[in-house]
């Protein structure tokens, strides 16, 4: 499994942001711009908390297993792999979603004197911040579950036992 690259996530964020900003300008010129839901930053915060709690739980269990504490619960490799896949998928999707809300929020910055649009810009900004929290939690989870490097003398990884 390949590691997530921040460059890839940032690229997705920027592309989605530019497309969303231009789409918001076009949509507002021909009609009413769709609202940014209040639930968006809340849902993103919940996803970040789930990813962070999973990472902290796995980290403590792996540490206990490594230190050979009596009664330590082991970590099932498939569970760890599923957690990493969930984190990577969450980070990729949230990079797109946060870019979308970031572009809409950038468009709404032009209308901060209108109370309804100001609230929408705040919700969009909070969504971007919570999106960054999800990406940070996903990268932390990926780091927790990363296998240690195991090099032989000739530079190849040792076979799994």
């Amino acid at each position: 499994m390949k590691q997530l690259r921040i460059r890839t996530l940032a690229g997705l964020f920027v592309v989605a942001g530019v497309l969303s900003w231009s789409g918001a300008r076009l949509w507002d010129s021909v009609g009413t711009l769709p609202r940014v839901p209040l639930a968006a930053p809340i849902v993103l915060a919940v996803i970040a908390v789930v990813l962070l709690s999973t990472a902290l739980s796995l980290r403590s269990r792996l540490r206990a297993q490594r230190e050979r504490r009596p009664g330590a619960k082991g970590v099932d490799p498939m569970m760890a792999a599923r957690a990493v896949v969930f984190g990577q998928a969450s980070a990729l999707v949230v990079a797109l979603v946060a870019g979308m809300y970031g572009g809409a929020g950038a468009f709404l910055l032009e209308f901060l004197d209108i109370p309804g649009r100001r609230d929408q810009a705040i919700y969009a900004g909070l969504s971007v911040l919570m999106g960054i929290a999800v990406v940070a939690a996903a990268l932390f989870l990926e780091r927790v579950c990363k296998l240690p490097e195991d090099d032989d003398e000739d530079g190849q990884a040792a076979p799994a036992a």
Side-chain angles (χ1 to χ4, degrees), residues 18-29 31 33-34 103-105 107-108:
V18 168
L19 290 174
S20 176
W21 176 79
S22 61
R25 290 185 63 84
L26 178 65
W27 198 319
D28 193 56
S29 68
L33 187 66
F107 171 74
L108 290 169

Side-chain angles (χ1 to χ4, degrees), residues 14 19 23 35 38 53-54 67 74 83 87 105 113 128 133 147 151-152 161:
V14 169
L19 290 174
R35 299 180 59 80
L38 174 60
S53 64
T54 302
E67 295 171 357
D113 53 334
V128 171
L147 293 174
D151 294 330
D152 282 342

Side-chain angles (χ1 to χ4, degrees), residues 44-154:
L44 292 174
V46 168
I47 294 170
V49 167
V50 167
L51 287 171
L52 183 62
S53 64
T54 302
L56 292 174
S57 172
L58 285 173
R59 185 177 71 167
S60 67
R61 288 173 60 189
L62 287 169
R63 182 177 294 147
Q65 186 178 3
R66 213 175 17 254
E67 295 171 357
R68 299 184 193 271
R69 293 184 195 154
K73 289 173 124 181
V75 176
D76 179 32
M78 283 304 291
M79 185 190 71
R82 287 182 186 125
V84 171
V85 168
F86 172 62
Q88 287 182 346
S90 297
L92 289 168
V93 170
V94 166
L96 288 170
V97 169
M100 182 187 74
Y101 286 130
F107 171 74
L108 290 169
L109 288 177
E110 300 172 16
F111 305 101
L112 289 179
D113 53 334
I114 303 169
R117 295 264 174 129
R118 183 176 342 124
D119 292 343
Q120 296 299 302
I122 291 170
Y123 298 157
L126 288 173
S127 296
V128 171
L129 289 176
M130 291 302 106
I132 292 169
V134 169
V135 169
L139 291 174
F140 179 61
L141 175 63
E142 186 178 57
R143 183 173 170 263
V144 164
C145 293
K146 184 178 179 185
L147 293 174
E149 296 296 324
D150 197 17
D151 294 330
D152 282 342
E153 286 108 29
D154 48 351

